[in-house]
Structures are given as structure tokens and as C-alpha cells.
Amino acid sequence: MSEFAFSQGVRRVPSGIIVVLVLVLTALAVVQWRVVRRWPSRPARIAGTAGVGLAAVLTPAAFVGLLAGAGYIDPDRVRWISAVGLTWLATVFYLLLTLLVLGVLWVLTRLVRLARPGFDGAPLLRVVAVVGAVAAVGTTLYGLVEAATPRVTHTQVKLASMPSVLGTVRVALITDIHAGPVRTRAFVQDVVDRTNAEQPDLVILGGDLIDGTVARIGDDLTPLRQLRAPMGVLAVTGNHEYYAGDAVNWVQRWRDVGVRPLTNGSVRLWRDGANGGAAITVVGVNDRKGSPPLAADYDAAFHGVQRSEFVLAVAHEPLQGREFAERGAALQLAGHTHGGQLWPFRYFVTLQQPAVAGLEQVDGMPVYTSRGAGAWGPPVRVASPPEIAILELSAA
């Protein structure tokens, strides 16, 4: 794939982004020239032209947000452009759903006309188009509010293999913050404050904490230093840690702010001190889409771990649970899916992932999949509210 030079030649933007941008703008030009310009009503032509013009402005803004999330642009310099442009993507999605409905209705009206030649379906199509456009904007505005503040959820998890001497272990699972183009250090601070208020025994960071590079947004994760949990704060990589080509530096940044990375490794955590009581073995595996030197390696992660140990497995995708189930883990903690983020995406997620949100089973092993605290792309969530998951683990 050819590439397009950007940012003083230091990094290079894949030409695919440029091609898509050009195609979208070309499509808008065609709509203006072939459709809007031919409308018989002058007010309608003015309104249509204004709408196409607004879309032509917002579309490049969306790509600015995507470039900021990939580390090509400093997010602080384009924060509002990114926010507005990426929000527009959610509206576009719901406008496309409206277009799909209109297409189905158009076919149906044509079929009805075969039986009733005098039937005119145009008024119905116009009403649906207007209602769909209003609904797209309204749904996006609702989703902005829904996504703004992650809620704390509580789930009791009973595990047969868990030693009863451990009592109840409160695990905070934080995933998919996606700090960067829209979410800032202040958002991360709010997540940390809400988590600490729950007084967890253990905090797990399940990947996709950022969108960008350490050089540009590394400071956004500084609040993680304030996380408090007597059994520790652990983290695994998600696919977005790799997107900007900076995964190694992000893992080091976690260490800098007091977070212990589990990069294909395990740690034994004692409930009552270093050499007494009962232990939980936490096994963490890199994201399955990770690349060397941080590619996923399940055998390395389970090296030295005995089948008799109570194993809490952590990996970004619930799909990775199949590997953990084979190796006898008691429970996996995951993220990645966002619960679909924008309805009805959750139904498409099930085509690729064996679990979507909450407590489900993967190959007979329980997996808790967090909907995530933030949002990727549009800072919008519809029928999938963001969460900080508090899991109360106890013996069955």
C-alpha cells in the first residue's frame, strides 16, 4: 500500500485513510449535483445544499479525530475538531440505517404499485426520511450524554475452584478508556476516583487505555498512579496499544505510573501477606493482535502455573478465553467489545466474539466482559452504557 507523507515526514499516513476521505467527499459532491440541485423547491434546494455543505465540513473533521487517535496529530491541538468530527460519525451511522430503511420501503412501494398502479409511496418515503434524520441527530445527542460518565456496576461471581479461605475478593475491572483524541486526563482522573471509592482489593486494567503515542498523550495516564488496591494494580495490552506503533513505550509508561504489566506472564497474589493465607494466580496475556516483542504467548504466560492453582486470567478479547479454558483457568476478565457501543452493533459483535458484555460462558469457563469506561471513535454510546466493573469473587 502506498503511503502519504504527514507531520514533517516523521510518520506516514496510510493512503487508505486518504482514499476513504476522497470517496466520501466525492459522494457528497455527487449527491449535491445529481440530487439536491434538481429538487423543484427552492427552499428545499437551499436546505439540502446547507446539509451537504455541513457534511462536507464535518467529514474531514472526523478524519482529523481518527488521525489524532492514531498518533499522527497532537490531540490537544485539535480536541474540539476531533470531538465534533467523531460525533458526526455516529450521526452518519444512524443516517445510513435510515437510508437502508428507505431502500427497503422503496422496493416495497414499487411492488405495491404493480398491484395498485395509482399508489404513490413518495409521501411515506418523505416522512420516513425526515423522521430518520431527526432520530439520527437525537440518538447521537442522547449517546453523547450516555457516554460521558461511566457507571459503577457490581457483579457477584461464584467460583467452585476458588479457595473459601480467600473470602470475598473485590476486583475492579477497567478497560477501554481510549484516552486521546476526545477523552483527556480529567476523564482518566474521574475513572480513578470512582474506582478508589469502591475500595477494591485488586485492580485490573484490561487494555485499550489510550489512542495515540506516549510522546503525545502519556501524561493522560498519570492519574493511574493514584489507584489504590492492597493486592495490586495489573494491566494487559489491548489492540489499541499497538495501533500507533508504541506498545513497548506504553508498557513502560504503565510501570512509570505504578501499574504492573502482565505481558505473557503470571503473578501470585496472597490474600494475607507474602507467605501465608491463600493465593490467587493472575495470568495475563497480550492482545491476540499484538506484534513482537509483545505478541500473545499463552504457553509463556502459563509457564510454572500448576493446574491446582486458582487462576484468574486476563486478556483484552473474550475470544482469548478459549485458550484459557483449555488451560484450566477459573475465570477470564476481558473488554474490547464495548458491548457494541452503538446499537445495533452488539449483534454484529456476536459474529466475531463468543461474549459481548457481562458474565457469560466461553467453552465452559466464565468470562466477564466489560463494556469499557470510554468509547472509541464517536464519544457516543447507545444502549451500551460505559462501566467500571466491580466483581465480587467468592467460593461457590
Side-chain angles (χ1 to χ4, degrees), residues 21-372:
L21 174 60
V22 171
L23 287 176
V24 172
L25 293 177
T26 300
L28 289 173
V30 170
V31 169
Q32 174 64 27
W33 183 258
R34 301 289 295 177
V35 180
V36 175
R37 196 174 68 91
R38 299 184 178 187
W39 287 348
S41 169
R42 186 171 184 272
R45 289 198 303 273
I46 293 174
T49 300
V52 171
L54 179 61
V57 171
L58 292 176
T59 298
F63 281 87
V64 168
L66 293 174
L67 291 174
Y72 295 104
I73 304 174
D74 184 351
D76 288 335
R77 296 183 179 181
V78 294
R79 188 77 62 187
W80 285 106
I81 297 175
S82 297
V84 172
L86 292 173
T87 300
W88 165 243
L89 288 182
T91 305
V92 168
F93 171 68
Y94 287 110
L95 288 174
L96 288 174
L97 289 184
T98 299
L99 187 62
L100 178 61
V101 172
L102 286 171
V104 172
L105 288 177
W106 181 84
V107 172
L108 292 176
T109 57
R110 301 292 288 185
L111 293 175
V112 171
R113 285 181 63 182
L114 293 177
R116 299 176 58 186
F119 176 77
D120 183 9
L124 173 62
L125 294 176
R126 284 195 291 268
V127 170
V128 172
V130 171
V131 171
V134 172
V137 174
T139 301
T140 300
L141 293 176
Y142 151 74
L144 278 172
V145 176
E146 179 84 306
T149 305
R151 61 193 62 182
V152 177
T153 62
H154 294 84
T155 304
Q156 292 185 351
V157 184
K158 302 286 187 179
L159 299 168
S161 61
M162 183 172 176
S164 58
V165 69
L166 284 169
T168 299
V169 178
R170 291 168 58 84
V171 179
L173 174 61
I174 303 170
T175 76
D176 302 277
I177 295 176
H178 290 285
V182 178
R183 301 303 185 211
T184 64
R185 174 173 174 166
F187 184 84
V188 179
Q189 182 68 62
D190 181 61
V191 170
V192 168
D193 292 342
R194 289 172 182 271
T195 302
N196 284 341
E198 296 298 317
Q199 298 182 321
D201 298 302
L202 173 66
V203 174
I204 300 292
L205 304 176
D208 279 12
L209 305 184
I210 47 77
D211 283 308
T213 63
V214 172
R216 296 196 187 280
I217 61 170
D219 187 58
D220 288 357
L221 294 192
T222 299
L224 296 181
R225 190 186 303 276
Q226 301 170 27
L227 284 169
R228 297 289 178 262
M231 298 180 76
V233 180
L234 309 176
V236 296
T237 60
N239 52 309
H240 281 251
E241 269 77 30
Y242 299 87
Y243 280 173
D246 212 24
V248 172
N249 289 331
W250 276 119
V251 169
Q252 182 55 49
R253 179 60 182 156
W254 295 348
R255 295 189 181 99
D256 294 341
V257 296
V259 175
R260 179 172 181 172
L262 286 180
T263 54
N264 300 326
S266 65
V267 59
R268 185 172 296 171
L269 305 175
W270 295 90
R271 178 71 167 182
D272 300 314
N275 298 303
I280 298 175
T281 299
V282 182
V283 174
V285 175
N286 295 327
D287 184 68
R288 71 186 185 92
K289 297 176 184 175
S291 55
L294 293 173
D297 188 334
Y298 300 92
D299 292 334
F302 276 85
H303 179 72
V305 177
Q306 305 300 315
R307 280 270 180 175
S308 59
E309 296 180 43
F310 173 62
V311 175
L312 175 62
V314 186
H316 185 58
E317 298 189 32
L319 184 61
Q320 296 176 264
R322 290 169 178 164
E323 296 284 349
F324 294 135
E326 288 183 3
R327 291 166 171 81
L331 170 70
Q332 182 202 351
L333 304 183
H336 184 65
T337 67
H338 295 207
Q341 185 166 327
L342 298 175
W343 184 92
F345 264 124
R346 67 172 292 123
Y347 302 110
F348 296 100
V349 173
T350 60
L351 300 176
Q352 196 257 343
Q353 295 289 336
V356 178
L359 191 62
E360 300 178 76
Q361 295 279 325
V362 174
D363 290 354
M365 179 191 68
V367 174
Y368 189 92
T369 307
S370 171
R371 295 189 299 268

